[in-house]
Amino acid sequence: MGAGVSRIEIPGQVQAVLRRLNAAGYTGYAVGGCVRDSLRGQTPADWDICTDAEPERTAEVFSDCRTVLTGARYGTVTVIFEGTPYEITTFRAEHGYTDSRHPDGVSFLRSLGGDLARRDFTVNAMAAYADGRVIDRFGGLEDLRWGLIRCVGDPAQRFTEDALRMLRALRFAARFGFAVAPETEEAIHALCGRLQAVAPERLRKELSGLFCGEAVRSVAERFSDVLCVLIPELSACIGFRQWNYHHKYDVWEHTLRAVEAAPPTEVLRLAMLLHDVGKPAAFTMDKQLVGHFYGHAVIGAAMTETILRRLRYDRRTTELVTLLVREHGFYLMEDTPKRMRKLLSQFGEENVRLLLQVRRADGIATGTAEGAAEKTAMAEQLLESVSAQCVSLPQMELNGNDLIRLGVPQGPQIGAILRALLDAVLDGSVKNERGALEHAAREMIDKSEYSL
Ligand code: ATP
Ligand code: MG
């Protein structure tokens, strides 16, 4: 970046695609996210290409490749070039979004300028030639340098055209740790009610992206009004004082800290966002002026299910997040092997791992619990050792025949020794490994606990 020409590195294969278009008399540029990510020093997930060739012409240029007219109506052809799919889209303008869902129509353009102008944010509205020179018509380089999400053109107009862009602004801000430019922010606060009209399928992807962003907490704090349009149930949490010495923060601040403390996966971040959503409804205060939230996890789980269904999350995600919210208060008071085995049999290993992460994030976010991270690390170790242990005789690495081979006569002793070994394995004093089990068996025999 800086004065002069900015360049990015374009992979040879992408260059070959662009040069093929050029050789056929068309223009071709890398555009959008791939240019932005390259300038940020990150490897783009995919390279989108735009061209003045109309879809059928693009298909001709790549007639030796497999091509799919994915969205020919919108100008997009997917070309499988040397095994990699590329979306090649004709320069286009979009007209009106009367339903806030889809453009009413698109028209193809002859030049790049109009195509860049229809794009949402300056940092997303840059293109690059095959040789890597960057084309920046709207100050994207500057905004990238200062870390700003700014609309291309008039924010109010752009958000009125397509309300989803408001949520996209927050998603990019959270992902890159960028601020939203002042006029863009102002328009979001003014117009966010319009997000209600956007199809949940479009909202969901941006919403999950937002919550998985590194800077989610500051963005969600500043734009809680936007989140409350999408999930009105959250509004009762904002500023809800807990009256409890275990908690340093109000419900909303605790919630956002918990989101931030969880690993950035969709399921865990949604679970933390919603884990205490039932608290305002469950609040009681005792005579000592201490607040309680009995049953909030169960209330919250029911709310979570409603919320995620309304946003059209898939069934698996909805069920899993609901489970995590319902069970988030599980307390492994003492993380004993016995308790861990019980959890494993109740929820299964994968879900116990998730619950431990939930408990960890929840603990960190109280602002008062010491050692939540260390406790989780220890519980995870315990989980490893317990799950590595067998839970029943058939899974034990030593069986009756092995004992006979060790010299134990057939008879009731066999069963007695096996059960004693299993107990030792379950309480963690002996590993479920052949060598260790044989050693333990010999000791039992030698001590003539099981006289031969
Ligand atoms: P990501 O890495 O998250 O995919 P991206 O920039 O590629 O980032 P996409 O959602 O894949 O984001 O969109 C590709 C490009 O299309 C964007 O960079 C932007 O230029 C444009 N774009 C996408 N959605 C919109 C929209 N709703 N309004 C205007 N332009 C959009
Ligand atoms: Mg993309």
Side-chain angles (χ1 to χ4, degrees), residues 32-33 36 118-120 124 162 165 168 171-172 175:
R36 176 200 67 218
R118 74 161 169 96
R119 293 174 183 269
D120 45 10
N124 288 348
D162 180 8
R165 289 172 188 152
R168 286 174 59 82
R171 169 173 62 102
F172 289 116
R175 171 158 146 210

Side-chain angles (χ1 to χ4, degrees), residues 31-34 36-37 45-46 48 87 168 171-172 175 205:
V31 68
C34 58
R36 176 200 67 218
D37 290 347
D46 41 37
D48 291 333
E87 288 203 347
R168 286 174 59 82
R171 169 173 62 102
F172 289 116
R175 171 158 146 210
K205 179 174 156 263

Side-chain angles (χ1 to χ4, degrees), residues 77-379:
V77 187
T78 302
V79 173
I80 318 289
F81 188 79
E82 294 168 2
T84 310
Y86 290 97
E87 288 203 347
I88 304 182
T89 305
T90 314
F91 300 141
R92 63 176 202 225
E94 293 168 356
H95 312 286
Y97 284 75
T98 36
D99 64 352
S100 291
R101 289 165 192 234
H102 310 288
D104 297 337
V106 305
S107 56
F108 297 144
L109 305 173
R110 301 304 310 159
S111 68
L112 177 66
D115 187 79
L116 292 179
R118 74 161 169 96
R119 293 174 183 269
D120 45 10
F121 307 113
T122 59
V123 295
N124 288 348
M126 290 181 277
Y129 295 100
D131 65 6
R133 272 177 303 141
V134 172
I135 302 160
D136 173 27
R137 301 264 168 92
F138 300 101
L141 285 168
E142 188 76 357
D143 285 339
L144 209 50
R145 178 160 10 149
W146 291 105
L148 286 173
I149 300 297
R150 181 197 309 277
C151 282
V152 172
D154 173 45
Q157 188 192 330
R158 301 311 310 280
F159 294 146
T160 309
E161 281 167 15
D162 180 8
L164 185 72
R165 289 172 188 152
M166 293 185 266
L167 194 54
R168 286 174 59 82
L170 305 198
R171 169 173 62 102
F172 289 116
R175 171 158 146 210
F176 303 136
F178 281 13
V180 178
E183 327 77 65
T184 301
E185 168 163 0
E186 202 183 312
I188 293 177
H189 292 306
L191 296 170
C192 61
R194 291 173 176 255
L195 277 165
Q196 265 173 333
V198 178
E201 293 74 15
R202 293 182 79 207
L203 292 172
R204 193 184 53 219
K205 179 174 156 263
E206 304 294 342
L207 198 61
S208 287
L210 161 59
F211 287 118
C212 290
E214 221 170 281
V216 51
R217 176 151 73 95
S218 59
V219 173
E221 232 158 39
R222 203 168 174 106
F223 293 93
S224 56
D225 52 343
V226 178
L227 297 180
C228 290
V229 171
L230 304 173
I231 308 177
E233 291 86 345
L234 293 174
S235 62
C237 300
I238 297 175
F240 198 98
R241 200 171 150 180
Q242 310 214 44
W243 299 91
N244 191 306
Y245 56 85
H246 290 304
H247 276 279
K248 196 161 152 189
Y249 308 114
D250 71 45
V251 175
W252 182 232
E253 186 168 0
H254 163 72
T255 295
L256 293 183
R257 285 173 182 271
V259 170
E260 185 182 45
T265 65
E266 184 181 55
V267 161
L268 281 169
R269 291 281 171 103
L270 285 173
M272 296 331 290
L273 176 75
L274 298 170
H275 80 286
D276 276 351
V277 73
K279 269 192 168 176
F283 183 72
T284 55
M285 187 178 267
D286 65 23
K287 289 197 193 94
Q288 282 78 43
L289 297 183
V290 175
H292 301 281
F293 300 95
Y294 300 116
H296 78 273
V298 173
I299 296 172
M303 294 168 76
T304 296
E305 195 174 359
T306 309
I307 292 166
L308 295 183
R309 281 202 183 159
R310 196 172 62 217
L311 290 167
R312 305 271 196 284
Y313 275 92
D314 63 86
R315 207 182 140 129
R316 188 182 163 271
T317 306
T318 304
E319 282 174 1
L320 192 48
V321 174
T322 301
L323 172 98
L324 296 177
V325 171
R326 190 176 58 237
E327 306 296 338
H328 81 267
F330 82 104
Y331 275 100
L332 251 102
M333 288 310 250
E334 306 158 80
D335 291 341
T336 61
K338 190 171 157 201
R339 176 96 172 95
M340 182 60 79
R341 271 195 298 279
K342 210 171 148 215
L343 285 171
L344 284 172
S345 73
Q346 192 177 353
F347 300 115
E349 183 171 334
E350 219 172 300
N351 292 348
V352 173
R353 283 184 196 282
L354 291 173
L355 280 169
L356 291 176
Q357 289 301 327
V358 168
R359 186 181 67 170
R360 174 179 180 276
D362 196 6
I364 291 172
T366 58
T368 64
E370 299 275 310
E374 292 74 13
K375 194 174 165 195
T376 304
M378 277 162 65

